[in-house]
Amino acid sequence: MMARLATCIWVSAYLHRLAQENIPAYVTSRGDDTAGAVFVKCATLDGQARVMARQYDFDADARLWTEWTSGTEGDVDAAITSERGRDPDLWVIELESREGRTLLEDPSLA
């Protein structure tokens, strides 16, 4: 079994990496410091947004970032609010990128 990085440390590293690329990002909901799940909301500044979440892929035997939902920013925010009602330990990071860049594919963030 592989040791897992505390969520608060991963979030801090992710925000630092985004800042290096001049991608504005904010923690809009803070979850559990050690084991909270993380949603990354990417607003494309045209009224649309998408949310990425880590999912376990049994075929690849890995945790991969997949799209959890997408649509108008209002609909995406409503879905996040609903999920936070079920999981108060959930972290939500919101970033703004016209190109939809999240850097989640960066190996340094694995």
Side-chain angles (χ1 to χ4, degrees):
M1 180 188 249
M2 198 166 160
R4 290 182 52 182
L5 189 63
T7 304
C8 64
I9 295 171
W10 185 89
V11 168
S12 178
Y14 182 55
L15 293 174
H16 181 73
R17 182 70 182 96
L18 290 167
Q20 288 176 325
E21 295 293 324
N22 296 316
I23 300 173
Y26 317 92
V27 174
T28 58
S29 295
R30 185 179 174 98
D32 183 75
D33 281 345
T34 56
V38 178
F39 276 179
V40 175
K41 175 188 167 192
C42 181
T44 53
L45 305 174
D46 61 357
Q48 299 293 305
R50 67 186 172 117
V51 175
M52 304 298 288
R54 283 187 97 176
Q55 303 284 328
Y56 188 78
D57 183 334
F58 288 99
D59 294 332
D61 190 27
R63 291 174 46 87
L64 306 174
W65 286 98
T66 59
E67 186 174 291
W68 182 74
T69 192
S70 64
T72 67
E73 197 162 358
D75 289 345
V76 167
D77 288 341
I80 291 171
T81 299
S82 176
E83 189 64 21
R84 285 262 319 144
R86 285 189 282 281
D87 183 2
D89 293 333
L90 178 67
W91 288 74
V92 180
I93 301 169
E94 183 170 340
L95 58 97
E96 298 172 344
S97 171
R98 290 187 196 284
E99 302 83 22
R101 293 179 60 213
T102 63
L103 305 182
L104 293 171
E105 68 283 350
D106 187 329
S108 68
L109 296 168

